Amino acid sequence: MMRLALREAAAAFEKEEVPVGAIAVHEGRVIARAHNLRETLRDPTAHAEMLVLTQAAEALSNWRLDGASLYVTLEPCAMCAGALLQARVSRLVFGAPDPKAGACGSRLDLIRGSGMPFTVGVTTGVLEKDCAEILRAFFEKRRSRKK
């Protein structure tokens, strides 16, 4: 599933968006896929995770995503971690940690320290090198253009 999320990240890269991709899975079936579209939509909330949560809720006809797993190439930020909790996603799997803005264990841990009456299981480091590499390549390309 993380390879599918990486394909979404690659689509973001091609659009000159920060290359983060996400996939939602329910009962073994992909129900949503998205990548960052903040620049394209001019929307600060258009993170891959937020977009995939909206699609997943639509696919299940329910905002409660019990039993759903979210695969994302980069550790979610505070906004996305909060949305995962609110949506009651059962499991989060992410690739690369985000030491600057990660809210699932790196910078903050809103998921495990939320105090909410429900929990989100977390698995980290899945295809971490691949997930980190696409981000490194994107920012290297961006920096070289500015010179």
Side-chain angles (χ1 to χ4, degrees):
M1 292 302 162
M2 189 61 76
R3 292 219 182 275
L4 293 176
L6 277 163
R7 285 188 203 156
E8 288 295 321
F13 190 108
E14 292 302 316
K15 293 177 183 176
E16 298 187 5
E17 295 275 359
V18 174
V20 176
I23 300 291
V25 176
H26 187 262
E27 296 179 352
R29 182 175 63 92
V30 174
I31 58 169
R33 59 183 69 219
H35 53 270
N36 275 0
L37 288 173
R38 290 191 317 170
E39 301 298 332
T40 302
L41 298 177
R42 296 181 182 93
D43 178 353
T45 68
H47 289 201
E49 302 94 309
M50 300 295 283
L51 298 170
V52 90
L53 288 174
T54 298
Q55 290 175 25
E58 186 174 322
L60 297 178
S61 298
N62 195 339
W63 64 266
R64 289 177 191 87
L65 302 180
D66 298 313
S69 296
L70 185 95
Y71 293 79
V72 63
T73 57
L74 181 65
E75 179 182 358
C77 68
M79 173 181 68
C80 295
L84 290 168
L85 286 167
Q86 291 298 317
R88 300 195 173 117
V89 168
S90 295
R91 179 158 211 69
L92 165 66
V93 180
F94 69 84
D98 184 352
K100 291 182 181 177
C104 300
S106 290
R107 184 83 168 154
L108 305 168
D109 197 344
L110 299 180
I111 295 291
R112 288 172 278 232
S114 72
M116 299 290 249
F118 41 86
T119 60
V120 175
V122 180
T123 301
T124 66
V126 175
L127 297 179
E128 181 177 343
K129 288 180 183 176
D130 294 336
C131 293
E133 175 56 28
I134 194 169
L135 287 160
R136 187 204 57 73
F138 175 81
F139 287 110
E140 184 177 282
K141 181 178 176 184
R142 181 184 270 181
R143 283 189 297 276
S144 72
R145 262 199 241 131
K146 288 182 179 181
K147 291 181 182 179

